[in-house]
Amino acid sequence: MHGTRSSDSSIQMAKSTLSFICQNCGAAYNRWQGKCDACGEWNTLAEEDSTGNVPVSIRSKRKGRTFALESLSGKSNDAPRLSSGMTELDRVTGGGFVRGSVLLVGGDPGIGKSTLLTQATSMMARAGHRAVYISGEEAVAQVRLRAERLGLANAPVQLASETSVEDIVSTLSEGTVPRLIVIDSIQTMWTDTVESAPGTVTQVRASAQALIRFAKKTGAAIILVGHVTKDGQIAGPRVVEHMVDAVLSFEGEGSQQFRILRAVKNRFGPTDEIGVFEMTGLGLREVSNPSELFLSERDLGSPGTAVFAGIEGTRPVLVELQALVAPTTLGTPRRAVVGWDPSRLSMVLAVLEAHCGVKLSGHDVYLNVAGGLRIQEPAADLAAAAALVSSLVNAPLPTDAVYFGEISLSGAVRPVAQTSARLKEAAKLGFGRAVLPESARGDGGDASLTLNSVGGLTTLVAEIAARGTPRGNHQAQRDAEPVEKNATPARFRRDRG
Ligand code: TYD
Ligand code: MG
């Protein structure tokens, strides 16, 4: 009895291979439902063969791979890492492509992924390596057109427009092992080992698996291009992010020329490095000194802007923070932030309100990091606070000052790492003074800057409010009351006019 019942249930299990897979996060369900419980997205479930198993019939038909036989004498193995020939790309990968590794590059459509990778493959090919570019989205002629525009048409890149993973793997298994293979994009690839339509989670996962296996086996480095959904996730294959060795995200503001390549995950390198590029008529130009770029369009002398001396990875980067604090017409004032952590902004606002007497509950607050950079360091607190107060009291900050320091909940300004690197970069770009945490003063080194150390946020707020100008918004100045007593003449003038 027992035996019969258990084999019955195992037959049923084997039959039910069709299920509903969320196309956003890959969660599987037995029944269709409108909302995915795992990621909260609506209408993302699609019916698929969830197992992704390779049927036995196909497995056994696989032809053995041929490989080259070599003699004992010969040149030794190449370095495990291979420079891409683009410094900014190498910086983000951690020093070049690792043999047998698979990288996923994500980014909005039109941001420049194909351009970046066309340039990278061309560089590799020109350096004498076998570099292959497989486009599943564009015809060969279109890729050629881009290469021509980039002035790279004569680079010996091997190009094809293909979408079948089996065909790609068999083709690339012949001849010398390619050092770099670009697959543009993983969403267009399909494998006959699973039945789902191209672009579905199951197809993308199985295709990525086959390509990863190929990379590990041959030592070729593979770059997969991945599309990004509206909210910035690499579309569909969240699962692929776990399978690959590194995930790079290519970002930028549509209206601006800067592009930032950021490592989201990297098994072979740091994840805090960024590579900075500029999109030009001749493709992507590497920007080796990003500070100059981020500060190039500064609005000198206007209230609400502060220059933050930050560190991105191993490199100091100076960037402008722009704040707008304006009386609100809404019941709940707006807080909007671009390029910084919104909860960090809330914290800084709370500290300003609680410890510095700056009342912001009747104001909308907007904070923007210039140039499309995204700041993760808490060291930006002080610059953000300075920009906010400057906008509130309508007092421009000194144009030759940089700001950095972490603000604690008690209102103290805490020291941050790499003070001397920040100061050196500021001095190099012609800044004359730095507003920084008190205890960081010793690290100043030989920098030629005037150091204005602040122990608490109250001191900084008082200093800024004292600079209030005749144009000062008296409502705003009253809001910063406890610290702006010196600014009364300005208010009188304003009242009379
Ligand atoms: P592309 O690399 O096709 O983007 P993705 O592969 O991420 O979708 O880049 C498309 C955009 O880049 C397009 O709007 C035109 C612009 N572009 C330039 O400005 N200069 C260039 O030299 C090239 C090739 C593209
Ligand atoms: Mg493209």
Side-chain angles (χ1 to χ4, degrees), residues 37-209:
D37 296 332
C39 67
E41 286 292 312
W42 287 90
N43 287 328
T44 53
L45 296 203
E47 192 168 359
E48 279 186 33
D49 178 345
S50 65
T51 58
N53 281 342
V54 182
V56 179
S57 56
I58 290 176
R59 238 184 284 156
S60 53
K61 269 192 238 156
R62 187 184 157 276
K63 223 175 102 227
R65 183 178 66 97
T66 55
F67 54 88
L69 298 166
E70 294 185 29
S71 65
L72 277 178
S73 64
K75 60 179 166 52
S76 56
N77 271 344
D78 295 330
R81 273 189 193 274
L82 188 65
S83 162
S84 64
M86 300 174 85
T87 325
E88 292 295 299
L89 182 55
D90 286 349
R91 185 194 300 282
V92 181
T93 52
F97 302 120
V98 174
R99 279 175 160 277
S101 70
V102 178
L103 236 125
L104 179 66
V105 176
D108 290 330
I111 203 79
K113 303 180 291 297
S114 305
T115 308
L116 176 73
L117 298 175
T118 305
Q119 287 181 247
T121 36
S122 302
M123 294 286 223
M124 295 282 270
R126 277 188 178 162
H129 303 291
R130 184 178 178 201
V132 181
Y133 191 101
I134 310 275
S135 179
E137 301 196 329
E138 291 164 302
V140 167
Q142 284 173 298
V143 181
R144 279 196 187 132
L145 212 64
R146 181 187 289 117
E148 222 161 83
R149 184 170 166 184
L150 298 170
L152 297 170
N154 61 355
V157 172
Q158 298 184 325
L159 177 65
S161 177
E162 273 301 329
T163 52
S164 157
V165 172
E166 277 76 26
D167 294 354
I168 292 170
V169 167
S170 327
T171 307
L172 297 183
S173 300
E174 274 161 21
T176 51
V177 174
R179 289 305 303 270
L180 179 67
I181 303 165
V182 170
I183 305 286
D184 187 0
S185 65
I186 187 65
Q187 275 92 356
T188 55
M189 295 294 137
W190 63 278
T191 156
D192 349 293
T193 56
V194 292
E195 304 217 321
S196 316
T200 55
V201 170
T202 309
Q203 268 296 354
V204 167
R205 181 165 41 194
S207 301
Q209 240 157 20

